[in-house]
Amino acid sequence: MRIRIFSIFVTTVLCMFACNCSKNETPEVKTGTVKVAPSKIDATMDAAVYELNLTADCEWGIAVEDKSWVSVSPSGGLSGTSTVKVKVEKNGTFKERSTTIVINYPSSSISIPIVQDCEKVDDSIKAPEGYTLIWHDEFNEGNVPSNQWRHEVQNSGWVNNELQNYRNGTADGKRVTEVKDGTLRINCFKGSDGKIYSGRIYACEDPGIKYGYIEARIKLPKGKGTWPAFWMMPCKVDWANEGWPKCGEIDIMEEVGCVPNEVSSSLHAEGHNHTNNTQVTKAVTIKNAEGEFHTYSIEWTEQNITTYVDGAKLLS
């Protein structure tokens, strides 16, 4: 399975001070030196704390150009050696952002740039015309899903009277999700206690995705009782007042195991949902959906939602 989303030390000069002098006296000039390392912070997209090591022989202070995602502590100090903690918030914008920390002292200042990139993308992956690749996971590293994914943990009966217990990590000594041979595998099995276990995972929850082209290459399992799905739910829902179906739901691909190889796309909303059989749905039977990889995708614009199977339009 793969999934892709396309939308040094610095030394300064003089510290100058005024003094009371007679006209025949030479004013006293005090020399101040500030050194700081590193001279630049390359931040990851995750929240983290970085350190600036500062040595000064004069009073100094710090200002941050963009305080919405960077903060520093302490905000200033006297002569001596200090460690400045730079707290950088998580980058959920899917775009590179930058700002500057400015260290001020009596006669000059030092600028320390901070650059926080979104997750590096693979330039070899070609985006559809008019789109730019902003996030992807090819599952070609490690043996478990990366920290970009969150596991749902719920017991059976949580929704739809489902028998499976959603877990994170292992259940009965087996992994519910694993990365193997360049694919993400979501496993479903009966434990020694007679319970059914499986995995349900989410990506791109913060800040979420609105509009764009999204695709995944998926091989479906075989057998009655299975219900694999590749779908989208809204982020930050007030479930008490805006729960399902009011919150909406976009099903890019679903397959119910009792109808082998029939895949469907559906849209659910307050006025159209399966509880009264008014959901917007389109289904198609494709050869070997179970057991072979196929590409399922969606193009979501302000005007329209279109889903595809292997490039062929399904729902529009």
Side-chain angles (χ1 to χ4, degrees):
M1 181 189 203
R2 71 183 182 207
I3 183 168
R4 299 167 177 174
I5 301 177
F6 295 92
S7 171
I8 202 159
F9 284 114
V10 180
T11 302
T12 62
V13 288
L14 300 177
C15 294
M16 304 295 291
F17 298 88
C19 62
N20 294 321
C21 309
S22 69
K23 63 180 182 180
N24 295 321
E25 292 177 324
T26 300
E28 180 183 3
V29 178
K30 294 184 179 180
T31 301
T33 302
V34 174
K35 294 181 179 181
V36 61
S39 60
K40 179 183 178 182
I41 295 176
D42 290 308
T44 67
M45 69 181 296
D46 293 321
V49 176
Y50 302 88
E51 292 186 352
L52 293 176
N53 299 307
L54 187 146
T55 303
D57 58 12
C58 58
E59 187 176 355
W60 54 272
I62 285 187
V64 181
E65 289 184 353
D66 190 342
K67 296 181 180 179
S68 66
W69 58 280
V70 176
S71 60
V72 295
S73 179
S75 59
L78 303 174
S79 61
T81 301
S82 303
T83 299
V84 178
K85 302 287 187 179
V86 181
K87 183 179 180 181
V88 179
E89 302 297 333
K90 179 179 178 180
N91 186 354
T93 67
F94 300 110
K95 296 180 180 179
E96 181 182 291
R97 58 185 178 181
S98 61
T99 189
T100 303
I101 295 174
V102 181
I103 303 172
N104 297 298
Y105 52 100
S107 66
S108 190
S109 64
I110 303 172
S111 296
I112 307 294
I114 300 177
V115 177
Q116 187 186 41
D117 204 352
C118 61
E119 190 72 10
K120 296 295 184 182
V121 296
D122 189 340
D123 292 337
S124 67
I125 298 174
K126 302 303 180 184
E129 184 177 355
Y131 289 92
T132 300
L133 180 65
I134 61 171
W135 183 88
H136 71 110
D137 198 337
E138 306 302 307
F139 306 105
N140 51 14
E141 295 183 359
N143 55 13
V144 295
S146 71
N147 59 9
Q148 299 178 62
W149 296 86
R150 178 180 70 85
H151 284 74
E152 184 77 66
V153 178
Q154 298 287 350
N155 291 325
S156 60
W158 172 54
V159 290
N160 299 331
N161 296 315
E162 296 172 3
L163 296 180
Q164 67 265 35
N165 295 267
Y166 291 118
R167 292 293 182 263
N168 181 8
T170 61
D172 201 31
K174 300 178 182 178
R175 294 206 61 85
V176 295
T177 58
E178 60 183 336
V179 174
K180 187 176 181 180
D181 298 329
T183 62
L184 167 66
R185 304 186 180 195
I186 301 177
N187 299 317
C188 183
F189 54 86
K190 180 183 288 188
S192 58
D193 56 5
K195 296 181 179 181
I196 305 298
Y197 295 97
S198 190
R200 175 179 174 137
I201 58 177
Y202 307 85
C204 301
E205 292 183 288
D206 184 13
I209 299 295
K210 185 177 182 179
Y211 306 142
Y213 178 86
I214 302 166
E215 70 174 25
R217 182 171 171 266
I218 301 172
K219 178 168 65 174
L220 303 180
K222 297 180 180 180
K224 293 182 179 180
T226 59
W227 191 352
F230 172 39
W231 58 338
M232 305 175 72
M233 293 292 290
C235 302
K236 302 179 179 64
V237 174
D238 179 0
W239 292 106
N241 299 307
E242 298 180 347
W244 196 94
K246 188 175 183 179
C247 65
E249 173 186 330
I250 301 174
D251 300 324
I252 304 172
M253 184 280 302
E254 290 183 283
E255 189 228 32
V256 181
C258 63
V259 188
N261 297 311
E262 181 183 274
V263 297
S264 64
S265 298
S266 299
L267 305 179
H268 299 275
E270 189 172 20
H272 297 276
N273 59 81
H274 74 265
T275 60
N276 55 16
N277 200 34
T278 59
Q279 79 275 14
V280 178
T281 296
K282 189 68 177 294
V284 65
T285 299
I286 59 176
K287 184 178 180 180
N288 297 325
E290 296 182 350
E292 291 185 0
F293 281 100
H294 295 268
T295 299
Y296 304 93
S297 56
I298 180 173
E299 185 175 26
W300 181 17
T301 69
E302 189 174 2
Q303 293 78 30
N304 198 40
I305 292 176
T306 305
T307 66
Y308 302 86
V309 179
D310 293 331
K313 187 182 297 185
L314 178 56
L315 182 149
S316 180

